[in-house]
Amino acid sequence: MRKLFVLCTAGMVMLPSVLAAETAPGDVVFGDLGAVEESLTGTAGNAEAGLEVATTRSLGNCLACHVAEGWAHMPLPGNIGPALTSVAHRYTEAELRGILINSKHMFEGTVMPSFYNVDDIIRPGDGYTGKAATSVEPLLSAQQIEDLLALLQTFDEPEEE
């Protein structure tokens, strides 16, 4: 009876970690056009946490290349990439997730970083040109990708015509 209790207790402790398992970068399934239908975490993203990722230079640093209504008040928003205001009207949730994970699947030749990719990474800069990255860790975690996705879905103002 005691063994049964120990086994049941161990199973209950392990169950939440099994249910909340993240999709590893190498296991992400991309659709034909780069969309990723399945959540990486099974947990909804948090737009507030996504804003922190997007505007923190050591994390996503999205504001270095993009301007968006959500962070227009912050210093030095970029203009290299497209404006992200109303991006949720231009792309589906699955397409946005795919772009965040590895934008190269949708936009060949883009300079946007692959935030949840560990394969075929080429680092920019003269000292690194043509050399594969040595890090095997993605730039962002699976939850940070889902948080950014939640943030982008709040940028839903339709574009003015």
Side-chain angles (χ1 to χ4, degrees):
M1 184 68 154
R2 182 181 168 137
K3 284 183 183 180
L4 180 60
F5 174 76
V6 169
L7 287 174
C8 289
T9 303
M12 289 173 52
V13 168
M14 291 174 49
L15 185 60
S17 64
V18 171
L19 291 177
E22 292 183 357
T23 301
D27 295 335
V28 172
V29 177
F30 291 90
D32 291 339
L33 300 176
V36 176
E37 297 290 336
E38 297 295 321
S39 167
L40 298 177
T41 62
T43 303
N46 176 310
E48 252 180 61
L51 181 62
E52 182 176 339
V53 171
T55 58
T56 301
R57 297 200 187 281
S58 62
L59 293 174
N61 198 23
C62 304
L63 60 77
C65 295
H66 300 278
V67 67
E69 200 60 37
W71 61 70
H73 65 285
M74 301 195 128
L76 304 173
N79 60 5
I80 296 168
L84 297 180
T85 302
S86 76
V87 71
H89 285 281
R90 295 190 303 262
Y91 297 101
T92 66
E93 178 180 326
E95 289 169 334
L96 288 171
R97 184 180 290 111
I99 291 167
L100 292 170
I101 293 169
N102 188 348
S103 59
K104 278 78 172 157
H105 284 269
M106 191 173 289
F107 306 114
E108 188 176 326
T110 183
V111 296
M112 182 170 164
S114 299
F115 287 106
Y116 198 68
N117 177 39
V118 295
D119 299 319
D120 303 322
I121 300 171
I122 302 297
R123 293 167 49 177
D126 292 339
Y128 300 102
T129 300
K131 297 179 183 175
T134 56
S135 173
V136 293
E137 294 296 318
L139 295 175
L140 297 176
S141 71
Q143 189 59 52
Q144 288 171 322
I145 294 292
E146 295 300 325
D147 292 342
L148 275 175
L149 178 59
L151 172 69
L152 293 175
Q153 291 175 315
T154 67
F155 296 166
D156 62 358
E157 293 299 314
E159 294 182 49
E160 293 181 19
E161 295 182 21

